Amino acid sequence: MNFLSQPLPQLPAPDWAQIQALPIVENGDSLVPLGLVSSPLRVYPAYFHLGVPQALSECHVRRSVLARLQQAARLLPAGIELVVLDGWRPLAVQQHLFDTLQRAMQAHFHQQSEAEITARTRQFVAPPSSDPRSPSPHLTGGSVDVTLCDSDGIFLDMGTEFDDVTPWSYTTAFEGISRPDGREAEVIENRRLLYSIMTRVGFSNLPSEWWHFDYGNQSWAWYSHQPQAVFGPVALASIESRWRQQVSRFADSYL
């Protein structure tokens, strides 16, 4: 299929007030690790490798998100594979990312108000929130950051690195080039390919980040015109919490 013949749609910027007003009816879908999944789905926990404090060495997503990632991976042409860079994200990591980018914005746009700086930061990193009514998207296990690689594990050229914070990170940024050169044409094709397979299996895309896709959370519900989200904030179960639940459930057998 020639993805160059299918321009990417220009999506509206997210209206976070409307997004966070959408109700969440949690469906209880569990978090699952991706470390044991097989090709053509690859996993590379980017923040862990970048040394971000408290970043996990494993990627986790909701079980139904994994099923859709696998479907998307199988849609790719031979020799191209889907790479998961991040999924469920601890609140501490979200806080670190937001604070780090906000400081960078403050240093450069020091003449702007705090509200303006926050708005700039929010284009690329959601404010940390575990509020059950409006959680950070990655805290729901429904957000994934993905890219493409070849069969040798070499990332395809997507125009920018993952988590770039320049205007070129916008999904459709390269679509406006009237006469793309060879490298730009390759970037356009790669972005169209990634967007095509992800949206075909039910994900929505965040327009400011070519790598960010959602399923089940409030952002997905807003862009997919759904009346409600099905994923709220979720946490990895610790061994202590698991044991407490098990002891409580079978308390009589311990007597």
mmCIF file of all heavy atoms in Angstrom, residues 21 28 34 52 93-94 129 134 145 148 155 159 175 201 217 227 239 241 243-244 253:
data_model
loop_
_atom_site.group_PDB
_atom_site.id
_atom_site.type_symbol
_atom_site.label_atom_id
_atom_site.label_comp_id
_atom_site.label_asym_id
_atom_site.label_seq_id
_atom_site.Cartn_x
_atom_site.Cartn_y
_atom_site.Cartn_z
ATOM 1 N N ALA A 21 -13.512 16.540 31.512
ATOM 2 C CA ALA A 21 -14.900 16.518 31.962
ATOM 3 C C ALA A 21 -15.618 15.237 31.558
ATOM 4 O O ALA A 21 -16.706 14.943 32.068
ATOM 5 C CB ALA A 21 -15.648 17.730 31.399
ATOM 6 N N GLY A 28 -11.864 -2.250 34.540
ATOM 7 C CA GLY A 28 -11.085 -3.236 35.285
ATOM 8 C C GLY A 28 -10.074 -4.014 34.480
ATOM 9 O O GLY A 28 -9.492 -4.985 34.979
ATOM 10 N N LEU A 34 5.116 -6.203 28.909
ATOM 11 C CA LEU A 34 5.352 -6.474 27.495
ATOM 12 C C LEU A 34 6.670 -7.190 27.227
ATOM 13 O O LEU A 34 6.987 -7.504 26.080
ATOM 14 C CB LEU A 34 5.336 -5.159 26.697
ATOM 15 C CG LEU A 34 4.072 -4.304 26.800
ATOM 16 C CD1 LEU A 34 4.151 -3.148 25.821
ATOM 17 C CD2 LEU A 34 2.831 -5.123 26.551
ATOM 18 N N VAL A 52 15.955 8.325 33.349
ATOM 19 C CA VAL A 52 14.965 9.134 34.059
ATOM 20 C C VAL A 52 14.710 8.514 35.432
ATOM 21 O O VAL A 52 14.455 7.303 35.529
ATOM 22 C CB VAL A 52 13.651 9.222 33.258
ATOM 23 C CG1 VAL A 52 12.556 9.902 34.072
ATOM 24 C CG2 VAL A 52 13.894 9.973 31.955
ATOM 25 N N VAL A 93 7.466 9.638 37.637
ATOM 26 C CA VAL A 93 8.108 9.874 36.345
ATOM 27 C C VAL A 93 7.392 10.999 35.609
ATOM 28 O O VAL A 93 8.026 11.876 35.012
ATOM 29 C CB VAL A 93 8.130 8.583 35.501
ATOM 30 C CG1 VAL A 93 8.654 8.864 34.093
ATOM 31 C CG2 VAL A 93 8.985 7.527 36.181
ATOM 32 N N GLN A 94 6.072 10.995 35.660
ATOM 33 C CA GLN A 94 5.305 12.075 35.023
ATOM 34 C C GLN A 94 5.666 13.421 35.640
ATOM 35 O O GLN A 94 5.820 14.426 34.935
ATOM 36 C CB GLN A 94 3.801 11.812 35.178
ATOM 37 C CG GLN A 94 2.912 12.720 34.355
ATOM 38 C CD GLN A 94 3.007 12.430 32.869
ATOM 39 O OE1 GLN A 94 3.204 11.293 32.468
ATOM 40 N NE2 GLN A 94 2.876 13.445 32.050
ATOM 41 N N SER A 129 -1.155 13.884 37.433
ATOM 42 C CA SER A 129 -2.421 13.844 38.162
ATOM 43 C C SER A 129 -2.862 12.403 38.368
ATOM 44 O O SER A 129 -2.911 11.635 37.414
ATOM 45 C CB SER A 129 -3.519 14.595 37.398
ATOM 46 O OG SER A 129 -4.785 14.393 38.012
ATOM 47 N N SER A 134 -9.650 12.878 36.496
ATOM 48 C CA SER A 134 -8.854 13.448 35.399
ATOM 49 C C SER A 134 -7.390 13.038 35.537
ATOM 50 O O SER A 134 -6.530 13.880 35.784
ATOM 51 C CB SER A 134 -8.967 14.979 35.409
ATOM 52 O OG SER A 134 -8.586 15.494 36.683
ATOM 53 N N ASP A 145 3.599 5.153 23.717
ATOM 54 C CA ASP A 145 4.511 5.863 22.829
ATOM 55 C C ASP A 145 5.192 4.803 21.963
ATOM 56 O O ASP A 145 5.780 3.849 22.489
ATOM 57 C CB ASP A 145 5.555 6.632 23.631
ATOM 58 C CG ASP A 145 4.927 7.725 24.485
ATOM 59 O OD1 ASP A 145 3.902 8.283 24.066
ATOM 60 O OD2 ASP A 145 5.463 8.011 25.574
ATOM 61 N N LEU A 148 8.737 2.943 14.768
ATOM 62 C CA LEU A 148 8.962 1.823 13.865
ATOM 63 C C LEU A 148 10.456 1.533 13.760
ATOM 64 O O LEU A 148 11.291 2.434 13.875
ATOM 65 C CB LEU A 148 8.408 2.139 12.469
ATOM 66 C CG LEU A 148 6.909 2.430 12.372
ATOM 67 C CD1 LEU A 148 6.558 2.902 10.964
ATOM 68 C CD2 LEU A 148 6.080 1.216 12.759
ATOM 69 N N PHE A 155 15.912 2.048 14.212
ATOM 70 C CA PHE A 155 14.742 2.913 14.130
ATOM 71 C C PHE A 155 14.618 3.533 12.744
ATOM 72 O O PHE A 155 15.616 3.966 12.150
ATOM 73 C CB PHE A 155 14.820 4.039 15.157
ATOM 74 C CG PHE A 155 14.642 3.601 16.590
ATOM 75 C CD1 PHE A 155 15.449 4.113 17.593
ATOM 76 C CD2 PHE A 155 13.653 2.690 16.932
ATOM 77 C CE1 PHE A 155 15.273 3.729 18.912
ATOM 78 C CE2 PHE A 155 13.470 2.289 18.243
ATOM 79 C CZ PHE A 155 14.287 2.801 19.244
ATOM 80 N N GLY A 159 11.621 11.834 11.495
ATOM 81 C CA GLY A 159 11.752 13.287 11.415
ATOM 82 C C GLY A 159 12.312 13.923 12.660
ATOM 83 O O GLY A 159 13.019 14.928 12.590
ATOM 84 N N GLU A 175 3.753 17.233 6.537
ATOM 85 C CA GLU A 175 2.740 17.214 5.479
ATOM 86 C C GLU A 175 2.694 18.538 4.725
ATOM 87 O O GLU A 175 2.268 18.593 3.574
ATOM 88 C CB GLU A 175 1.357 16.912 6.065
ATOM 89 C CG GLU A 175 1.212 15.540 6.677
ATOM 90 C CD GLU A 175 1.060 14.431 5.640
ATOM 91 O OE1 GLU A 175 0.679 14.737 4.489
ATOM 92 O OE2 GLU A 175 1.324 13.274 5.982
ATOM 93 N N VAL A 201 -6.580 0.087 14.213
ATOM 94 C CA VAL A 201 -6.954 -0.875 15.255
ATOM 95 C C VAL A 201 -7.591 -0.191 16.458
ATOM 96 O O VAL A 201 -7.804 -0.822 17.495
ATOM 97 C CB VAL A 201 -5.740 -1.712 15.693
ATOM 98 C CG1 VAL A 201 -5.186 -2.490 14.517
ATOM 99 C CG2 VAL A 201 -4.652 -0.855 16.346
ATOM 100 N N ASN A 217 -8.763 5.784 27.386
ATOM 101 C CA ASN A 217 -8.744 6.866 28.369
ATOM 102 C C ASN A 217 -9.536 8.079 27.865
ATOM 103 O O ASN A 217 -10.169 8.038 26.811
ATOM 104 C CB ASN A 217 -7.305 7.233 28.736
ATOM 105 C CG ASN A 217 -6.467 7.625 27.518
ATOM 106 O OD1 ASN A 217 -6.996 8.073 26.505
ATOM 107 N ND2 ASN A 217 -5.155 7.458 27.616
ATOM 108 N N PRO A 227 -18.775 8.606 24.444
ATOM 109 C CA PRO A 227 -19.413 9.326 25.553
ATOM 110 C C PRO A 227 -18.654 9.232 26.867
ATOM 111 O O PRO A 227 -18.867 10.049 27.765
ATOM 112 C CB PRO A 227 -20.789 8.652 25.667
ATOM 113 C CG PRO A 227 -20.562 7.268 25.125
ATOM 114 C CD PRO A 227 -19.561 7.428 24.017
ATOM 115 N N ILE A 239 3.908 -6.670 45.759
ATOM 116 C CA ILE A 239 3.793 -7.976 46.400
ATOM 117 C C ILE A 239 3.066 -7.850 47.738
ATOM 118 O O ILE A 239 2.300 -8.730 48.120
ATOM 119 C CB ILE A 239 5.197 -8.628 46.582
ATOM 120 C CG1 ILE A 239 5.058 -10.079 47.043
ATOM 121 C CG2 ILE A 239 6.053 -7.815 47.532
ATOM 122 C CD1 ILE A 239 4.379 -10.990 46.062
ATOM 123 N N SER A 241 0.653 -5.646 48.510
ATOM 124 C CA SER A 241 -0.786 -5.493 48.298
ATOM 125 C C SER A 241 -1.412 -6.810 47.849
ATOM 126 O O SER A 241 -2.525 -7.151 48.256
ATOM 127 C CB SER A 241 -1.054 -4.394 47.268
ATOM 128 O OG SER A 241 -0.568 -4.747 45.989
ATOM 129 N N TRP A 243 -0.357 -9.868 48.618
ATOM 130 C CA TRP A 243 -0.427 -10.771 49.775
ATOM 131 C C TRP A 243 -1.534 -10.356 50.738
ATOM 132 O O TRP A 243 -2.225 -11.199 51.295
ATOM 133 C CB TRP A 243 0.927 -10.805 50.481
ATOM 134 C CG TRP A 243 1.925 -11.678 49.778
ATOM 135 C CD1 TRP A 243 1.688 -12.568 48.770
ATOM 136 C CD2 TRP A 243 3.330 -11.731 50.030
ATOM 137 N NE1 TRP A 243 2.851 -13.181 48.368
ATOM 138 C CE2 TRP A 243 3.884 -12.690 49.122
ATOM 139 C CE3 TRP A 243 4.183 -11.068 50.917
ATOM 140 C CZ2 TRP A 243 5.240 -12.999 49.103
ATOM 141 C CZ3 TRP A 243 5.540 -11.379 50.889
ATOM 142 C CH2 TRP A 243 6.059 -12.329 49.999
ATOM 143 N N ARG A 244 -1.694 -9.052 50.944
ATOM 144 C CA ARG A 244 -2.758 -8.595 51.845
ATOM 145 C C ARG A 244 -4.126 -9.012 51.321
ATOM 146 O O ARG A 244 -4.992 -9.450 52.079
ATOM 147 C CB ARG A 244 -2.684 -7.075 52.012
ATOM 148 C CG ARG A 244 -1.535 -6.596 52.901
ATOM 149 C CD ARG A 244 -1.581 -5.087 53.097
ATOM 150 N NE ARG A 244 -0.506 -4.640 53.968
ATOM 151 C CZ ARG A 244 -0.577 -4.631 55.300
ATOM 152 N NH1 ARG A 244 -1.691 -5.050 55.891
ATOM 153 N NH2 ARG A 244 0.436 -4.192 56.021
ATOM 154 N N SER A 253 -8.676 -19.792 56.410
ATOM 155 C CA SER A 253 -7.796 -20.933 56.249
ATOM 156 C C SER A 253 -6.492 -20.774 57.034
ATOM 157 O O SER A 253 -5.751 -21.749 57.207
ATOM 158 C CB SER A 253 -7.465 -21.144 54.764
ATOM 159 O OG SER A 253 -6.723 -20.048 54.260
#
